[in-house]
Amino acid sequence: MPGLPPAALLFDMDGLLVDSEPLWLQVVQAFCRARGFTWTKEHHAACVGGGLRATLSATGERFGFAVEHERDVAAVVDDFIGSVGGLALKPGAAELLSAAALAGLPAALASSSPHRLIDAVLARFSLRPRFQAVVSGDDVAHPKPAPDIFLRAAAALGVPPARCAVLEDSLAGVTAARAAGMIVVAVPEGPWEGRGFEALADVCLPSLERAHRWLGIAPAAAAAGDP
């Protein structure tokens, strides 16, 4: 761990705490298919972490159709929310949040998703009490990879940026965290070598299950005194 241990943890949501990228791919593919086009996994991978508005803009730019952001974002969010019952938490997510709470570390959720989608996902897993602050892409002028969302989350917690550790799965999120001057923990989906993560993150980990040790937080069971 570089420098002092973190005084707060800032979490991304999609792809980091929640295994939501397959569902995002499905709903954006449906959005494009209704217009006669095929949105591939490769197209989608290039947009991960930048927020839904940026993704829908990318579909219009690639295929040449007009995107009406207010209408189209609302429709895609409705489709996603209608399927949140099928989502699952990423391995280690619940345990890390519990361990942070037991250690007295404040936590914020900093997601590019709209507030109503965040609310639906947090309600699905009863996670809202775990966060002392929730910041959405709705709340900032510039989405990731700009640092705005993380700086706002740190301010909401009252913790200096340099004392915050950000956990992120996307390159856009890792770039934003580095620009914010925070401790950067990358937990990418799949191999990270050659994708730019190592140049930006303080550490790259294969899962949230490995984050306890690096962050200096005891696993939830140990922190609670369980055998």
Side-chain angles (χ1 to χ4, degrees):
M1 164 98 44
L4 296 170
L9 302 182
L10 310 185
F11 292 88
D12 179 45
M13 184 178 77
D14 290 302
L16 186 280
L17 291 177
V18 181
D19 189 15
S20 54
E21 291 307 331
L23 178 55
W24 274 123
L25 174 61
Q26 290 174 24
V27 297
V28 178
Q29 283 179 326
F31 172 80
C32 292
R33 189 165 52 247
R35 290 155 178 78
F37 299 96
T38 300
W39 183 250
T40 68
K41 290 182 179 179
E42 292 72 24
H43 296 153
H44 195 73
C47 298
V48 170
L52 182 55
R53 282 180 173 270
T55 298
L56 294 190
S57 292
T59 67
E61 291 166 6
R62 177 168 291 276
F63 300 125
F65 57 74
V67 174
E68 295 184 24
H69 281 97
E70 295 305 319
R71 179 199 67 191
D72 293 337
V73 166
V76 172
V77 168
D78 285 344
D79 287 347
F80 187 97
I81 289 174
S83 299
V84 295
L87 293 177
L89 288 176
K90 299 285 276 189
E95 293 81 1
L96 182 56
L97 289 169
S98 294
L102 288 167
L105 274 179
L109 189 72
S111 168
S112 297
S113 292
H115 268 296
R116 67 190 185 93
L117 189 150
I118 293 171
D119 291 343
V121 173
L122 293 181
R124 159 74 177 88
F125 298 106
S126 302
L127 287 180
R128 184 60 184 87
R130 293 299 191 194
F131 299 103
Q132 287 69 58
V134 173
V135 182
S136 158
D138 294 338
D139 300 323
V140 296
H142 304 103
K144 303 171 189 177
D148 302 33
I149 197 165
F150 291 128
L151 293 173
R152 187 178 180 107
L157 295 179
V159 177
R163 298 296 312 283
C164 295
V166 174
L167 292 97
E168 263 284 358
D169 70 298
S170 73
L171 192 59
V174 166
T175 302
R178 174 56 63 217
M182 298 178 176
I183 301 164
V184 185
V185 181
V187 191
E189 184 71 28
W192 57 77
E193 294 86 353
R195 296 167 59 191
F197 286 98
E198 291 167 304
L200 294 166
D202 292 297
V203 66
C204 295
L205 300 173
S207 72
L208 289 175
E209 295 167 306
R210 296 282 295 275
H212 295 94
R213 179 178 298 178
W214 196 87
L215 290 166
I217 305 170
D226 293 344

